[in-house]
Every structure is written in structure tokens, then in C-alpha cells.
Amino acid sequence: MNQSSESSQLIFWGSGTARTLRPIWVAEELTISYQLMPIGPRTGETKTPEYTELNPKQKVPFCVDGELKLSESLAICRYLVNKYGSANSLQAPNSIEQQAKEDEWLCFIFGELDETSLYVMRRHGALSNIYGEAPAAMEAASEYVIRQLKVIDKHMLGREYVLNNRFSLPDVFLTTCLNWVEAYDIPMSAELTEYRDKMTQRDAYKKAAKINKPD
């Protein structure tokens, strides 16, 4: 576990969700020290004056590294890899073209799976007491997930990782979304199930998942 003492300059806010897991997992892959402030998204902790001054969006995850303040899991993870990555861990793309392909898949995974469909299911499923029940939206979102998984299935044929024959940021984002897929009992191919199982057996993932779990 790479949680540091209070002297660490790298601090994460947020735990307990798929999105807060991502920067923690990346930090564990990079074996960098950080301090975690394990506040939850719906506990009232993001709405305190102190946190709102740090992050007016009142969302998690949030990251501070020295003078830099960042929100949004994708921006945080990209920053961590670009600053702290190495050939022995997660590595930043070594060309404009490689970064473009990573960003293409990150945008697809985050936009089409996370935001457009899986989070809709979360809002009107597990969080229906807040956002209300919407059976039609739930059904449409599930069907949309299945269509996008077919795109990923085709791309992953013969591949161990999403890109470049190595573990990279799209694998982090895809795995956390596939966790949602499994939790929602959405049909997933044997190949994607095997891929997800392999990713979740990584030592850094197991450490991060334990750290991300709220008390």
C-alpha cells in the first residue's frame, strides 16, 4: 500500500466508487506515494466549505500535487502517467500517434460506457432513491452497453491489452467499466470476462481495490 505520511505532496480525495478507484490504481501501478482523503460522493463531505474551496465542482476524485489541482478521473490519471510513468510501470505514450489512439479509446470507454449508459443505470438503479426510478431508461441503457461491448469484443480479438501489447490507461478505464457490467448482470463475452479477470488479478489492482473500499 503506497499511502504516505502527511508530508506527501500528492493527495487524492475520494473513495468508494469506480471513478475514485482509477487514480488510486494508477498510483499503485506507478508505485508512487500518496495520501488518500477517503471522502464519499454523497456523504456531505464534498459540500463542506473547505472542500468546495479546493474543488468547486464538489465531486470526487480530486487530486492535488504540489501547486497543481485536478478534478476528473481521466485528467488525473493521464497526468499521473505523464509525470510519473516509466518503462517498468505504466508508460506515457512515446508519440503523438500513440497518445491519439489512447485518447480515442479513453474517450470511447468513458463517454459511451461510463457516462452515457452505465452511469445512467447507476442513477436509476442503485441511486434511484435520489434520481428516481426509470425502467425505460434502464432498459435502453443496458441495450446500449451491449452494443458498445460488441465494438470492444471485435477490437480485442487476439489482444491481451487494449493497445500496444502493453498495459495502459485504457485498460484501467475498461476494467472499471466491466466491473459495472458484471455488477449489473449485463451479458459479457467469455473473452471479455477472461480479460477483466486477468486485469483484476494484477497486484496493483488488488491493492487499489482494497484501499478504495470505504470503511
Side-chain angles (χ1 to χ4, degrees), residues 80-119:
L80 293 174
V81 172
N82 284 349
K83 182 168 183 179
Y84 298 107
S86 72
N88 297 322
S89 59
L90 273 169
Q91 187 175 8
N94 56 23
S95 70
I96 293 172
E97 291 77 11
Q98 281 191 6
Q99 178 151 341
K101 292 303 294 184
E102 280 199 14
D103 288 346
E104 175 189 27
W105 279 100
L106 286 166
C107 289
F108 177 78
I109 293 164
F110 192 83
E112 303 302 323
L113 286 180
D114 182 319
E115 289 187 312
T116 302
S117 48
L118 289 167
Y119 196 70

Side-chain angles (χ1 to χ4, degrees), residues 60-201:
V60 290
F62 186 69
C63 169
V64 172
D65 192 12
E67 296 299 315
L68 179 68
K69 297 177 176 63
L70 274 179
S71 62
E72 310 302 333
S73 63
L74 178 50
I76 295 168
C77 291
R78 170 63 76 199
Y79 165 74
L80 293 174
V81 172
N82 284 349
K83 182 168 183 179
Y84 298 107
S86 72
N88 297 322
S89 59
L90 273 169
Q91 187 175 8
N94 56 23
S95 70
I96 293 172
E97 291 77 11
Q98 281 191 6
Q99 178 151 341
K101 292 303 294 184
E102 280 199 14
D103 288 346
E104 175 189 27
W105 279 100
L106 286 166
C107 289
F108 177 78
I109 293 164
F110 192 83
E112 303 302 323
L113 286 180
D114 182 319
E115 289 187 312
T116 302
S117 48
L118 289 167
Y119 196 70
V120 170
M121 297 184 71
R122 177 163 170 75
R123 277 177 176 264
H124 301 296
L127 302 177
S128 61
N129 61 312
I130 300 173
Y131 297 105
E133 295 183 359
M138 290 281 286
E139 182 178 356
S142 178
E143 292 173 355
Y144 193 81
V145 171
I146 292 170
R147 293 207 305 273
Q148 307 317 311
L149 290 178
K150 289 178 181 178
V151 174
I152 297 170
D153 266 321
K154 183 177 181 180
H155 172 76
M156 292 297 291
L157 284 175
R159 294 176 182 267
E160 185 176 4
Y161 303 108
V162 176
L163 287 173
N164 304 326
N165 297 315
R166 63 176 177 83
F167 181 77
S168 62
L169 275 186
D171 295 297
V172 171
F173 280 71
L174 179 56
T175 300
T176 56
C177 285
L178 293 181
N179 287 345
W180 270 352
V181 170
E182 183 184 58
Y184 295 159
D185 294 322
I186 298 172
M188 185 163 53
S189 69
E191 290 77 14
L192 279 184
T193 300
E194 182 180 356
Y195 163 83
R196 176 195 165 273
D197 289 347
K198 181 178 178 180
M199 293 299 102
T200 58
Q201 287 304 306

Side-chain angles (χ1 to χ4, degrees), residues 46-64:
T46 62
K47 296 183 178 180
T48 64
E50 294 80 9
Y51 186 75
T52 301
E53 185 175 355
L54 274 175
N55 181 13
K57 296 175 184 175
Q58 298 182 329
K59 300 287 187 178
V60 290
F62 186 69
C63 169
V64 172

